[in-house]
């Protein structure tokens, strides 16, 4: 199989992408953490697909767990991506979270897209961010720039197999 | 990995390893600063406004012997009142269970089932249509609740097993029934408008004063949290002097235009037509008149008595401004030319030249207010109720929002300092912000927006009619006066009739506050004009 060298320039770009996404996750998590009135209830209860599942998540017995889990995952994924540690696990969690957001309010033509500042059909920012995370999964950069440098010095992925 | 290799980090490697850490710190700092700053600004603003969105304590205890209720009129509203008391027809429960399965957001059955037990029995029903009366008997008769049908309302009122009556008949029957019940010292809950003409408004007022029974008018929005919050806003003079209020009806569907369904079992044998007609001008048997009575002045009160009455009372319960000194109305039958003689587009300007909610400018500069009610049954764009003051504007419905005014005197400093942005929200109360409700129709949405369907207590959705009936029952059991008592009912009825009269006569109707009478117009008998079953009296 052909091996492709990932140049330093490419790794730098991937690092920037990783930190930007991490920044976004962390900031969203922090704002929710500091806002005592925040809850995902409204978002869940107005879901357009899998309404039974999202309604269950929004019930009184579940919503506390769901809200806390959401905040913890956002902060954990954000921190991991910025620091460059446990990158692939963080990426998988991040994609799962984004796909859950997307499935509740997909960008179908018939969807109201409440709160969206642009125009989207099928592809929206949640989906693009999930796709960008998928790129990070394939081309991790933490060993180039991040705490992974210490953990996996011997396994620097200057090249990956495609 | 060997110890030796670990010790070979270059400075460059260390930097690349830990350079992300300050970024995490930066995001944490940014997030914390932003939320803290926002919370501080909000706190300062709320502290300055000091508005209390607190629910009132619930009305008194429902303990003791069950109160025995007789229901007069078991049509659309009668059925709703029974549900608010805890009695739903079997067919309704089935329908709602199915509706909730299709649409999980439909919470009507859930709200009904979670309703508090009001400790009442429905012991009597009177409806001139057999199918309605039989529906009540079939649904409510049980070992714990024995219900009997009366063919005549007078017999129901006199029945010893009836302590109190609910009157949900066409408007022309409200006062005669309420007066008869009060004279028999039976407690009365009557639907709005409480009367159908001027003379009986005074008769009912006297009957209520002379009776030991408790009297309440069905303006259930008085229980809605946002209206209670609005009272606090007015008391604290946050809006400044209110010079203009606009209240609206916006409907555009058959149900909203009173085109109700005609029951398949209805015929001259199943309807006591003579009793339905009562004191209205006699007409031959007519199913449209029977089921769609709101479309004719003979039985209903058009937009003035049917919906202006609600909007007027929504404002009156907040401002307590009483009867306007004059009313001028206009409109026409513009979108439903189906034989009705009440208007479907209607505007009423109500003047209150001596009224003030308090001001923020020099004394004597501000006095007087106009309430504009504007209604159409041909468009349902959601025009909001607006209370427009010198310092701020309040948008009032099931939710409540206040916007600072650019020219405000009171908030001038805050606006200059950038703490308030003119035209943007400075306070918002929305009990439904985290709750999305399934709606069954456009008219349901219209009522819900006006705070007429349900409100929230401790985060739970409650039928406002249930709370209103509870308050009436509590006054019967524990003493006290209902929030919509005979005084509020009298003001609502007189104002509605002034608006209706002004439309029919095509001229301004004045109120003399000293004599507590309408200012007479030479050659005009007000009640004759109001009751004439024609669109206009010239």
């Amino acid at each position: 199989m052909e091996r492709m060298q990932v140049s330093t320039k490419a790794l730098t770009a991937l690092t920037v992408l990783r930190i930007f996404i991490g920044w976004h996750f962390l900031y969203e998590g922090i704002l929710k953490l500091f806002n005592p009135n925040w809850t995902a209830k409204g978002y869940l209860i107005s879901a357009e697909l899998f309404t039974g599942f999202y309604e269950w998540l929004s019930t009184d017995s579940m919503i506390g767990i769901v809200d806390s889990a959401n905040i913890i995952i956002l902060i954990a994924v954000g921190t991991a991506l910025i620091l460059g540690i446990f990158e692939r696990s963080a990426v998988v969690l991040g994609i799962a979270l984004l796909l859950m957001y997307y499935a509740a309010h997909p960008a179908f033509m018939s969807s109201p897209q409440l709160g969206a500042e642009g125009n989207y059909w099928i592809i929206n920012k949640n989906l693009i961010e999930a796709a960008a995370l998928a790129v990070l999964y394939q081309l991790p950069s933490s060993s180039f720039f991040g705490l992974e440098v210490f953990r996996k010095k011997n396994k620097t992925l200057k090249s990956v197999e495609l | 990995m060997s110890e030796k290799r670990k010790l070979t980090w270059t400075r460059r490697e260390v930097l690349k390893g830990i350079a992300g850490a300050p970024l995490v710190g930066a995001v944490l700092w940014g997030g914390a600063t932003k939320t803290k700053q926002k919370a501080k600004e909000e706190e300062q603003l709320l502290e300055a406004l000091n508005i209390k969105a607190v629910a009132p304590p619930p009305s008194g205890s429902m303990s003791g012997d069950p109160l025995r209720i007789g229901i007069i009129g078991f049509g659309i509203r009668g059925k709703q009142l029974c549900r608010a008391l805890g009695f739903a027809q079997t067919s309704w429960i089935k329908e709602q269970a199915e509706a909730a399965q299709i649409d999980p957001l439909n919470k009507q059955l859930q709200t009904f089932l979670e309703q508090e037990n009001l400790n009442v029995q429905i012991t009597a029903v009177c409806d001139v249509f057999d199918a309605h009366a039989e529906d009540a008997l079939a649904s409510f008769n049980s070992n714990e609740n024995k219900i009997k049908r009366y063919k005549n309302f007078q017999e129901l009122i006199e029945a010893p097993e009836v302590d109190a009556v609910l009157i949900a008949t066409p408007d022309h029957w409200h006062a005669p029934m309420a007066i008869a019940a009060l004279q028999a010292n039976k407690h009365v809950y009557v639907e709005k408008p409480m009367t159908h003409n001027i003379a009986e408004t005074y008769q009912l007022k006297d009957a209520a004063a002379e009776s030991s029974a408790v009297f309440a008018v069905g303006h259930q929005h008085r229980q809605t949290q946002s209206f209670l919050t609005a009272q606090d806003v007015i008391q604290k003079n946050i809006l400044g002097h209110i010079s203009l209020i606009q209240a609206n009806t916006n409907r555009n569907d058959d149900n909203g235009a009173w085109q109700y369904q005609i029951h398949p079992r209805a015929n001259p044998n199943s309807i006591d037509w003579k009793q339905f007609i009562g004191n209205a001008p006699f007409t031959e048997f007519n199913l449209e008149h029977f089921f769609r009575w709101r479309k004719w002045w003979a039985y209903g009160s058009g937009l003035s008595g049917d919906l202006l009455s609600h909007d007027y009372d929504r404002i009156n319960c907040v401002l307590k401004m009483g009867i306007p000194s004059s009313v001028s109305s206009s409109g026409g039958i513009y979108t439903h030319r189906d034989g009705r003689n009440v208007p479907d587009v209607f505007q009423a300007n109500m003047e209150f030249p001596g009224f003030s909610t308090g001001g923020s400018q020099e004394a004597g500069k501000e006095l007087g207010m106009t309430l504009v009610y504007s209604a159409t049954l041909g468009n349902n764009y959601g025009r909001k109720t607006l209370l427009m003051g010198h310092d701020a504007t309040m948008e009032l419905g099931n939710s409540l929002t206040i916007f600072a005014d650019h020219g405000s005197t009171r908030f001038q400093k805050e606006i200059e300092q950038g703490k308030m942005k003119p035209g943007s929200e400075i306070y918002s109360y929305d009990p439904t912000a985290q709750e999305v409700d399934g709606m069954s129709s456009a008219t349901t949405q219209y009522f819900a927006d006006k705070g007429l369907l349900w409100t929230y207590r401790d985060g739970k959705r409650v039928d406002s009619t249930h709370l209103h009936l509870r308050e009436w029952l509590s006054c019967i059991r524990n003493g006290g006066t209902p929030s919509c008592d005979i005084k509020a009912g009298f003001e609502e009825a007189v104002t509605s009739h002034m608006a209706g009269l002004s439309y029919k006569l095509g001229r301004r109707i004045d109120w003399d506050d000293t004599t507590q009478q309408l200012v007479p117009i030479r050659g005009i008998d007000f009640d004759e004009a109001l009751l004439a079953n024609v669109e206009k009296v010239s």
Side-chain angles (χ1 to χ4, degrees), chain B residues 8-178:
Chain B
T8 59
W9 306 115
T10 62
R11 195 194 318 172
R12 189 182 174 80
E13 280 171 336
V14 172
L15 277 174
K16 280 168 82 177
I18 60 164
L23 294 179
V24 172
V27 178
L28 280 171
W29 176 84
T33 312
K34 163 134 187 164
T35 37
K36 252 167 92 186
Q37 186 190 343
K38 203 168 157 237
K40 199 177 157 198
E41 279 169 12
E42 276 177 10
E43 203 181 305
Q44 277 177 344
L45 202 58
L46 288 178
E47 228 167 70
L49 298 173
N50 189 28
I51 298 168
K52 299 271 184 294
V54 182
S59 42
S61 159
M62 289 291 116
S63 61
D65 290 335
L67 264 167
R68 298 165 307 171
I69 312 270
I71 172 94
I72 310 177
F74 194 64
I76 297 170
R77 188 60 185 154
K79 291 181 178 80
Q80 290 168 349
L81 291 177
C82 286
R83 286 202 288 278
L85 281 178
F87 293 80
Q89 316 131 263
T90 332
S91 55
W92 182 86
I93 293 181
K94 204 173 148 230
E95 265 168 40
Q96 291 306 319
E98 282 167 9
Q101 267 193 336
I102 298 165
D103 177 8
L105 300 181
N106 186 324
K107 300 223 168 69
Q108 300 210 39
L109 182 59
Q110 193 191 330
T111 306
F112 171 76
L113 293 173
E114 286 172 0
Q115 222 169 243
E116 182 196 351
N117 182 348
L118 297 181
N119 189 21
V120 296
Q121 291 173 346
I122 296 184
T123 51
V125 62
C126 175
D127 196 293
V128 294
F129 178 32
D130 289 343
H132 284 167
E134 285 161 16
D135 194 4
L137 294 180
S139 297
F140 304 155
N141 210 13
S142 67
N143 286 338
E144 301 80 47
N145 190 81
K146 295 282 174 220
I147 176 169
K148 193 175 162 192
R149 179 184 180 188
Y150 292 86
K151 298 248 169 155
N152 181 288
F153 79 89
Q154 196 67 44
E155 288 167 22
L156 180 144
I157 286 169
E158 285 160 12
E161 70 271 16
V162 170
D163 302 318
V165 295
L166 299 185
I167 301 168
T169 59
D171 297 356
H172 69 300
W173 268 118
H174 287 174
M177 288 170 174

Side-chain angles (χ1 to χ4, degrees), chain B residues 9 64 154 182 194 200 230 235 298 332-333 341 384 402 431 511:
Chain B
W9 306 115
Q154 196 67 44
L182 288 168
M194 71 169 203
E200 61 185 17
Q235 214 174 5
I333 304 168
N341 62 24
K384 306 274 187 190
I402 301 173
W511 170 253

Side-chain angles (χ1 to χ4, degrees), chain B residues 309-364:
Chain B
S309 60
H310 265 320
D311 278 279
Y312 165 81
D313 191 70
R314 289 164 76 231
I315 304 300
N316 197 28
C317 84
V318 175
L319 300 186
K320 299 173 186 67
M321 72 283 181
I323 298 169
S325 69
S326 70
V327 181
S328 304
S329 310
S330 68
I333 304 168
Y334 298 147
T335 64
H336 297 274
R337 301 176 66 79
D338 55 5
R340 69 181 63 202
N341 62 24
V342 297
D344 55 19
V345 173
F346 180 76
Q347 339 292 326
N349 294 317
M350 291 159 258
E351 304 297 337
F352 300 85
F355 181 74
S356 178
T357 50
S360 54
Q361 302 184 83
E362 67 267 30

Side-chain angles (χ1 to χ4, degrees), chain A residues 27 30 144 146-147 153-154, chain B residues 5 9 13 16-17 28 34:
Chain A
Y27 192 67
I30 294 294
F144 165 73
L147 288 174
K153 188 176 180 187
N154 286 335
Chain B
R5 290 196 72 168
W9 306 115
E13 280 171 336
K16 280 168 82 177
L28 280 171
K34 163 134 187 164

